[in-house]
Amino acid sequence: MLTCFREFSYQNKWLVSLHYLPPSALDGICTTDQYPSGYTTFSADGYALQISNERLANIMEKLSQFEQRLLILRFVLELNDREIGRMMRCSRSAIQRRRTRVLRNLREQLTGELL
């Protein structure tokens, strides 16, 4: 019993309960689990884009397969317009125009929902 008492005394001197720590300190030592069910997955050419934001996923679902594939090739594989054009059998300028239009529409829809 004396050994147990000494151990508790030692712990009380050096250990701090988590409820005494400020929230900013807890952020550094805590983690949040991410599960596949929390994502909407879009795939093209064997690669997947996982989106956890429900509003963005709903907007992405409304895009055509071509537009979804374009965004996956650009932002998942990080291909440039020329490489995407070769894969999709389009000119670089056509890919650039389409990508610009899709991203502008996405931005408008996302910011429009925030207003």
Side-chain angles (χ1 to χ4, degrees):
M1 185 152 153
L2 185 57
T3 303
C4 185
F5 179 74
R6 286 182 184 147
E7 182 66 28
F8 285 137
S9 294
Y10 175 78
Q11 288 178 2
N12 284 335
K13 287 180 185 176
W14 300 106
L15 299 179
V16 176
S17 176
L18 292 178
H19 77 291
Y20 290 119
L21 294 175
S24 59
L26 288 175
D27 290 342
I29 61 173
C30 295
T31 150
T32 304
D33 292 338
Q34 298 289 330
Y35 297 99
S37 62
Y39 293 100
T40 303
T41 303
F42 300 92
S43 60
D45 299 323
Y47 295 94
L49 172 62
Q50 294 184 324
I51 299 176
S52 61
N53 183 305
E54 189 175 335
R55 284 188 1 223
L56 179 58
N58 290 336
I59 293 169
M60 281 286 292
E61 285 176 344
K62 296 175 186 175
L63 296 177
S64 69
Q65 289 292 330
F66 181 90
E67 293 168 337
Q68 289 178 12
R69 183 178 182 210
L70 173 73
L71 293 178
I72 290 169
L73 293 174
R74 178 67 181 109
F75 296 107
V76 175
L77 294 179
E78 298 179 356
L79 299 178
N80 62 38
D81 292 337
R82 178 168 287 138
E83 294 167 326
I84 295 170
R86 268 189 251 132
M87 290 182 74
M88 298 180 81
R89 295 187 176 101
C90 294
S91 69
R92 180 193 59 79
S93 59
I95 294 295
Q96 182 181 14
R97 283 192 305 271
R98 189 78 177 258
R99 179 181 43 82
T100 301
R101 187 173 64 233
V102 169
L103 290 176
R104 185 178 5 173
N105 289 339
L106 285 173
R107 187 178 302 114
E108 287 172 1
Q109 289 181 45
L110 285 172
T111 57
E113 289 181 14
L114 294 175
L115 300 176

